[in-house]
Each structure stands twice: as C-alpha cells, then as structure tokens.
Amino acid sequence: MKSFLAFVFSIICLGVANAQVKAPTEPVMDRFLRYVKIDTQSQEDQTTVPSTRKQLNLANLLAKELIALGAQNVRVSEFGIVYATVPGNLADNSKVPVVGFIAHMDTSPAVSGENVNAIIHKNYQGGDIVLPKDTSQVISVAKNPVLKELIGDDIITADGTTLLGSDDKSGIAEIMTMIDILRQNPQIKHGTLAIAFTPDEEVGGGIEKFDIKGFGAKVAYTVDGEELGEISDETWSARTATVTFQGKSTHPGSAKGIMVNAMYAIGDYLGRFPKDMLPETTEGRVGFVHPYAGVIDVETSSVKVLLRDFDVSGLDAKEKMQRDMVAETAKKFPEVKIAINVEENYKNMKEVLKEFPELTNNAMEAARRAGLKPYMKPIRGGTDGARLTLQGLPTPNLFTGGSNFHGKLEFNSRRGLDKSTETLVHLVQIFAEKS
Ligand SMILES: [Zn+2]
C-alpha cells in the first residue's frame, strides 16, 4: 500500500506545479538494503580514524555513486570521510546558503553488523514482530507504540542475530536518494549542497577529523534521528567523572592491620546513587548520573560516571552531588584515598542553535509539506552535529524513520525511508524559496 507508487505520488506533490516529476533511479529502500549488507561496525579505543578499515568499503562505494549522481569535488579524506558538493541550479546560487547534509557510515560496536540479513515484513497488520533467527528477539507493540502507525507499511528488520544498521544507513540512503531525485528533476530549484558521510560516529572519533572549512556549508543537518517528524536542536550538556579509590593490598594471610580494601569504599559510594536520577528511572528532559564502567580491586578501584543534563546549572548540581558523595564515603573510609576528576565532554547545542531559528523552522516546514506532524525532541545523548555546532557549523538533527538504534530490534520502514527522503527534497527547496 505505502509503496513505491505512493512515493512517486508524494514526489509529485513536492510543490512543483505542472511538472512531470521523475522518480529516483533507485528507490530509497533498495539503496538502503544494499548499504546495510556492508559491515561498517566501528571499534572503541582505537588510535586511528577510521577505527576499522572496513568502513572504507562503504566510503569508497559512496564516493563512486556520488560521482555517478553528478556530485562534484567528491573525495574520501585520509580519515575515511566522504565529502561532495551538489551544485545549485538557481540563476544565482550565491544568494542561498550552502546547506550541508551529514550521515554516519559506521554502526554501533554494541552488536554485530556482519552478514546483516534484512527482512521485509510486507503489509504489516499489527502485533508483535518476532525475529526469525532468534525468536527471543521480539519487537513488541507495548515497547514500540510507533508500530501502531505502521499498519499497511513494509517494516524492515534484521533477522535477530545482528543489528540492522538503520542507524545510520537510513540517513545515508535518504541523502543519496535526495541527490538522485534532484538530478532527475532539474525543475526542483535548490542552492548548492554540501554532503558528508563520516566514520566512527558511534565511538566518537570521526567528527574530530571533520574539515568544516573544506566542507563549505554555512549551516547543516545530521540525518541521524529516529521516528518520522522528530527534529532535534538540543543535546545533553555532558561531563564524565572518574572516581578512584586507593587502598593497600597485601597477602591476606598476614594482612591484619595492614590491608586497606578499596572495594568496600567503592561499594559504599555506589550505594549512595539516588535511585530517581538514573538512566533507567528518567526520561524526557530529566538528566541523570550513570556509573557505567569500573574496576574493583583491593588496591585500586575506580568507576566512571556519566553526568548528563540539558541545563548547565543542572549539570553543575550533579557534579556537586558527586563531590558530596565522595566526601561522605571518604569520611567513612579515612584510610582509602579517594580522588574525583571531572571532564567536560560536550555542551547542549541549543546554546548556539537558538541564534539560528530558521534551521529548525525550515525543517519543520519541510516535514509538514511531506505530510508529517513534526515536533521537537531533545536528544538524550550527543550528536556529531552538537560538536560541529559548537565549532561554528550550526547543525540540528533530522529524523530517518528508524527505531531501536544499537540493538537487534532495530527497524525502519518503507514509508519511514520515503517520507524522510521527501522531507529532505522539500527542505532544499524551502531554503531556495526563502532566500
Ligand atoms: Zn546514529
């Protein structure tokens, strides 16, 4: 029902009066299904970018396809970042800001992305979706209320043994299909576009190598969000605390009066975390503290704690709370040396984006023209766009239609891919209209 025909129809509604609008040379879903077969899993704690060489397989393919789609200045940087320019088709392109579109090529290190076997659940009629190769993997309506909006749609999942890679190959497929549609339809007017596909978003290394100046965009969007209509111009302000507990180890047979076991101190400290301020007990705009990795040992125990809040004042309060907790534990365990070190990770991009309201306004308008009901959603995380924004390239985040990122229950749908692509095509037109 929500088929390729529906997509062609919606493209016809793209505000291009009396024009025959041609479909892309390859439907976005076919393109997506090709990309998810390429394993691009990134890896934590590597010293090189990209963290895994296999990401270059997709980078090189995308570069080739961009050239075939008429993009210019196509290049893959030494860090595996794909850059390209799509020339504008206006009488004077200099009047329209160069708009950037960015998606990431890697998939999460959390779950394998090897041999992804995408399954299309055609004409979904409601109910839980059991993944065939591991029937303990169930996409339930209870946990995924968005499924109720996907009746009649074709839902795309993995088979239960891998992630799907919708994050962020949906974004890549949608941007590529937008370029394809623009090439097929020169009557759709737009300014110059800058395109980039980045490695290592999931491990946080790729964007550090991003060449903002060479990219050439004045403003940009990451296409890396979730449900249809969801637009984000807010991320966490983020810090990480590392708390170290120094005890004294000795042979337990002759330890009396000598051994100082740091494990009891770290246990006491962890016991002080407020239950209502954790990732598992908060949502929406409420921040959290999250001990997520550590070592326990008699001599030295340590734990890393994420501190997250949308407001700097809230973040300051969370940091103070950690320092107070450390002080309390130190009082109880005077022989254990306790140190807390807090690092700044990133800031809420809203601090900058509030100066550029047209970015989210144009995106909202584009989504409405695609027949969606757009809404703003703060991201309980960071994005590559947050870092770019704070470095001078304002970059909010747009939806891709996908859900359940980083896990085996990840999914997207035909309509999700179609409508996200359609939104991008509207968006470039809106920038041209408004300039
Ligand atoms: Zn992503």
Side-chain angles (χ1 to χ4, degrees):
M1 207 171 80
K2 305 285 192 331
S3 64
F4 182 56
L5 274 181
F7 181 53
V8 173
F9 176 76
S10 56
I11 289 294
I12 289 168
C13 301
L14 280 170
V16 185
N18 301 319
Q20 185 80 31
V21 178
K22 283 196 201 157
T25 56
E26 182 179 26
V28 60
M29 179 139 145
D30 294 1
R31 193 178 277 283
F32 172 71
L33 293 173
R34 275 198 300 117
Y35 296 160
V36 297
K37 287 200 189 108
I38 303 167
D39 178 14
T40 56
Q41 189 180 39
S42 53
Q43 207 176 330
E44 299 275 7
D45 299 325
Q46 301 302 301
T47 50
T48 55
V49 177
S51 62
T52 53
R53 300 289 298 170
K54 57 191 176 185
Q55 294 179 66
L56 295 172
N57 296 335
L58 180 57
N60 292 328
L61 175 73
L62 291 169
K64 220 170 92 188
E65 293 185 3
L66 281 161
I67 292 168
L69 289 172
Q72 295 179 354
N73 308 321
V74 180
R75 60 207 186 278
V76 180
S77 81
E78 60 179 308
F79 304 111
I81 304 175
V82 184
Y83 298 97
T85 307
V86 175
N89 59 6
L90 302 167
D92 183 358
N93 290 309
S94 69
K95 289 197 172 137
V96 180
V98 175
V99 182
F101 291 93
I102 301 166
H104 66 90
M105 297 181 286
D106 64 316
T107 60
S108 169
V111 179
S112 170
E114 203 180 349
N115 298 321
V116 170
N117 175 24
I119 310 246
I120 302 167
H121 307 261
K122 284 202 169 150
N123 192 13
Y124 169 70
Q125 289 302 307
D128 296 352
I129 299 174
V130 180
L131 300 183
K133 283 267 180 75
D134 176 356
T135 51
S136 71
Q137 300 293 332
V138 180
I139 305 173
S140 69
V141 178
K143 287 197 177 144
N144 299 273
V146 71
L147 284 175
K148 291 178 198 152
E149 291 160 38
L150 301 183
I151 306 291
D153 201 346
D154 297 339
I155 296 180
I156 314 159
T157 68
D159 64 10
T161 61
T162 64
L163 49 63
L164 175 62
S166 171
D167 174 18
D168 186 23
K169 285 161 184 162
S170 291
I172 296 175
E174 289 156 6
I175 292 169
M176 292 295 281
T177 307
M178 167 190 72
I179 299 169
D180 190 352
I181 290 169
L182 295 177
R183 181 171 166 81
Q184 293 296 313
N185 295 278
Q187 76 279 16
I188 298 176
K189 295 300 173 196
H190 62 89
T192 300
L193 311 177
I195 307 296
F197 300 122
T198 57
D200 287 350
E201 190 267 356
E202 302 292 2
V203 295
I207 209 68
E208 287 170 25
K209 308 293 185 189
F210 196 88
D211 174 14
I212 293 181
K213 199 157 167 273
F215 185 50
K218 194 138 187 249
V219 294
Y221 295 90
T222 46
V223 185
D224 190 22
E226 302 192 63
E227 292 171 17
L228 283 178
E230 173 192 302
I231 296 167
S232 301
D233 66 353
E234 274 203 84
T235 51
W236 290 134
S237 284
R239 293 175 197 162
T240 303
T242 306
V243 188
T244 310
F245 302 78
Q246 188 67 46
K248 190 174 186 168
S249 182
T250 183
H251 191 286
S254 52
K256 189 172 182 191
I258 303 169
M259 182 187 281
V260 178
N261 192 335
M263 287 157 71
Y264 296 111
I266 197 170
D268 176 83
Y269 162 76
L270 288 171
R272 295 176 188 275
F273 274 75
K275 303 283 174 286
D276 59 351
M277 214 185 275
L278 307 176
E280 56 269 45
T281 56
T282 54
E283 62 184 348
R285 290 193 59 88
V286 183
F288 61 65
V289 289
H290 176 42
Y292 74 99
V295 185
I296 56 167
D297 201 285
V298 173
E299 177 103 3
T300 310
S301 292
S302 68
V303 60
K304 288 187 169 197
V305 185
L306 303 182
L307 314 180
R308 299 291 186 263
D309 205 287
F310 288 104
D311 300 310
V312 172
S313 60
L315 196 58
D316 287 342
K318 288 183 174 60
E319 180 175 336
K320 181 173 183 302
M321 184 186 73
Q322 290 300 309
R323 292 185 185 281
D324 291 347
M325 284 162 55
V326 164
E328 289 298 312
T329 298
K331 243 189 260 167
K332 210 166 145 189
F333 296 87
E335 290 181 301
V336 179
K337 281 196 198 103
I338 311 178
I340 175 167
N341 180 38
V342 179
E343 282 177 72
E344 192 90 37
N345 300 129
Y346 52 87
K347 274 192 191 142
N348 187 343
M349 63 178 168
K350 181 85 177 181
E351 304 284 328
V352 176
L353 288 178
K354 63 187 179 198
E355 309 295 332
F356 298 88
E358 70 278 11
L359 287 189
T360 44
N361 290 343
N362 288 357
M364 300 279 271
E365 173 63 16
R368 278 191 289 268
R369 288 189 191 181
L372 303 171
K373 290 195 182 79
Y375 58 96
M376 300 303 297
K377 185 180 173 185
I379 300 173
R380 291 172 66 82
T383 65
D384 276 355
R387 187 181 273 267
L388 294 175
T389 299
L390 295 161
Q391 288 173 353
L393 178 63
T395 309
N397 190 44
L398 302 179
F399 53 89
T400 61
S403 294
N404 290 344
F405 287 1
H406 301 183
K408 292 178 182 172
L409 303 181
E410 198 182 9
F411 64 95
N412 201 332
S413 73
R414 185 187 292 275
R415 182 168 179 269
L417 293 165
D418 282 349
K419 284 289 166 186
S420 302
T421 305
E422 198 189 321
T423 299
L424 298 182
V425 177
H426 283 300
L427 183 54
V428 299
Q429 289 186 95
I430 290 168
F431 272 95
E433 283 168 19
K434 291 202 172 166
S435 300

